[in-house]
Amino acid sequence: MAEIKNIDLGLTGYDELFMSTEERLDARKPKVDELPLSKLSPFKDHPFKVKDDEEMARLKESIHESGVLVPALVRPKDGGGYELISGHRRLAACKALGMETMPAIIRNLTDEEAIITMVDSNLQREHILPSEKAFAYKMKYEAMKRTPGRPMKNSCQVGTNYRTDQEIANDASDSARQIQRYIRLTELIPEILQMVDDGKIALTPAVELSYLRENEQRDLLTTMEYDEMTPSLSQAQRLRRLSEDQGLSDNEIMIVMSEVKGNQKEYVRIPTESIKKYFREDTSIKQMTDTLVKAMDFYNRHLQRQRNDRDAR
């Protein structure tokens, strides 16, 4: 079993009296430990995905040739072992290569400090999904709000209002407003959020959809999957207004989504009231549509048989 290798200088103020400035600074540098992979655990609710993609392939090749060049950052766990703050992709690569240990720096961090450090270290990555940013910004926002000694939101700070989102923006590539938009995405159901990650729904319409209730989002998802289309910004805004005014029915979703857009299909509009008498009260718009299509298919085949019979005479 791999052992933890560590050098503890145990320096005191007396020891430092006999050191040069260079020696003193070197002694205070973070010490790198070689930790067993079995003792490393992922960060709780880590929002960044570890994918076996082309970037991972390049990372594994680099580690295979040169080892882990940048140590991971970890903190001790109650009961033993360590929680990763940064280095999840490096850990996955080391495991895939069959390695037993990886270099890491151990720091004692509070939950809030750990979250903020974890988010900041991962936001530097080149490729980040909207969902990753959404949950990362939310975690950092909530951690900063919980940090002891910080002012309450909107309390006076030297003549200005204190804004947590603005403070996050000071260290990020996104504006405070954009950070708010990303955090709103955490209100989307997973299936619609995945469509944002896949580029099927743009950020701004997705933010509007995040204000829909969960059941309304699921009804919308059913319509989007059935008709193979997504809402434009204006449609998303209308859906939000309807939801906030009176609540959305699947019929209203169908009406809004059936508007013809330049790159989408044309639709035949049939007033729901004119066909409801043929269905049970709890029948959804999708079920009605499916039944009507099947009925038309049956009717068409029936007409074709009649024509064939006439031709046979």
Side-chain angles (χ1 to χ4, degrees):
M1 180 172 178
E3 296 294 332
I4 300 176
K5 302 171 187 176
N6 184 31
I7 300 176
D8 184 3
L9 296 179
L11 295 174
T12 66
Y14 181 79
D15 294 322
E16 290 191 350
L17 288 175
F18 300 96
M19 287 183 175
S20 66
T21 300
E22 184 178 348
E23 290 172 330
R24 195 177 298 118
L25 291 174
D26 184 66
R28 291 177 178 176
K29 288 180 181 178
K31 294 300 179 283
V32 178
D33 299 291
E34 197 69 28
L35 301 180
L37 304 187
S38 60
K39 291 185 175 291
L40 303 179
S41 303
F43 194 89
K44 183 182 178 183
D45 299 325
H46 187 254
F48 299 94
K49 299 174 183 177
V50 177
K51 297 184 291 185
D52 192 13
D53 54 12
E54 186 177 339
E55 285 188 26
M56 177 61 74
R58 290 198 296 268
L59 178 60
K60 287 190 286 190
E61 182 179 357
S62 172
I63 292 176
H64 177 71
E65 293 178 354
S66 308
V68 178
L69 301 178
V70 180
L73 179 64
V74 302
R75 66 170 179 166
K77 288 176 59 179
D78 293 337
Y82 302 89
E83 182 179 43
L84 274 173
I85 306 299
S86 67
H88 292 75
R89 295 174 69 251
R90 278 162 280 172
L91 175 61
C94 289
K95 285 183 176 179
L97 292 170
M99 299 170 63
E100 293 187 358
T101 65
M102 69 180 288
I105 296 171
I106 303 172
R107 285 186 184 165
N108 291 307
L109 300 172
T110 66
D111 290 343
E112 288 73 26
E113 290 170 339
I115 289 172
I116 293 169
T117 304
M118 179 273 295
V119 171
D120 287 346
S121 62
N122 282 279
L123 282 176
Q124 307 306 316
R125 284 164 43 183
E126 184 178 355
H127 301 294
I128 304 175
L129 295 172
S131 64
E132 294 175 322
K133 274 194 175 185
F135 285 100
Y137 279 142
K138 183 178 182 180
M139 290 178 72
K140 182 174 181 179
Y141 182 91
E142 293 176 346
M144 291 176 70
K145 298 286 287 182
R146 293 194 304 266
T147 302
R150 293 176 61 83
M152 296 295 291
K153 185 177 182 181
N154 293 331
S155 65
C156 183
Q157 288 288 304
V158 196
T160 60
N161 284 341
Y162 175 80
R163 290 288 300 266
T164 302
D165 52 9
Q166 183 57 58
E167 186 169 352
I168 296 174
N170 292 339
D171 298 322
S173 59
D174 296 304
S175 66
R177 181 66 184 132
Q178 191 76 336
I179 287 169
Q180 291 174 2
R181 292 191 183 101
Y182 276 115
I183 292 176
R184 277 300 317 175
L185 296 185
T186 63
E187 302 298 326
L188 291 171
I189 60 174
E191 295 87 345
I192 295 182
L193 184 55
Q194 183 62 51
M195 296 176 79
V196 180
D197 280 347
D198 294 340
K200 297 178 181 177
I201 301 179
L203 176 63
T204 306
V207 170
E208 298 295 325
L209 299 180
S210 72
Y211 289 92
L212 304 186
R213 300 173 180 86
E214 181 178 346
N215 66 299
E216 294 169 342
Q217 291 189 41
R218 297 218 167 269
D219 289 340
L220 173 62
L221 177 65
T222 299
T223 300
M224 289 192 294
E225 290 178 337
Y226 182 80
D227 294 321
E228 298 181 353
M229 64 181 187
T230 57
S232 64
L233 175 57
S234 62
Q235 287 174 320
Q237 290 170 334
R238 286 183 60 194
L239 291 171
R240 175 183 173 181
R241 285 196 299 269
L242 286 169
S243 174
E244 292 174 341
D245 290 343
Q246 61 195 37
L248 268 174
S249 66
D250 55 357
N251 185 42
E252 288 166 326
I253 292 173
M254 186 77 170
I255 290 172
V256 172
M257 294 296 291
S258 66
E259 296 173 347
V260 178
K261 293 185 287 186
N263 61 344
Q264 293 182 333
K265 310 171 186 177
E266 291 187 345
Y267 294 85
V268 176
R269 295 186 180 184
I270 303 175
T272 308
E273 297 303 321
S274 66
I275 60 174
K276 267 191 172 180
K277 60 184 177 182
Y278 301 111
F279 299 90
R280 289 176 13 184
E281 290 185 3
D282 61 347
T283 305
S284 69
I285 294 296
K286 183 178 183 304
Q287 290 171 326
M288 291 183 190
T289 304
D290 288 343
T291 302
L292 287 174
V293 171
K294 291 177 182 176
M296 290 304 300
D297 182 63
F298 176 83
Y299 176 70
N300 188 57
R301 284 188 279 111
H302 176 70
L303 287 179
Q304 187 61 47
R305 281 199 299 270
Q306 286 184 328
R307 294 191 192 100
N308 293 341
D309 290 341
R310 283 198 302 268
D311 293 340
R313 293 173 192 159

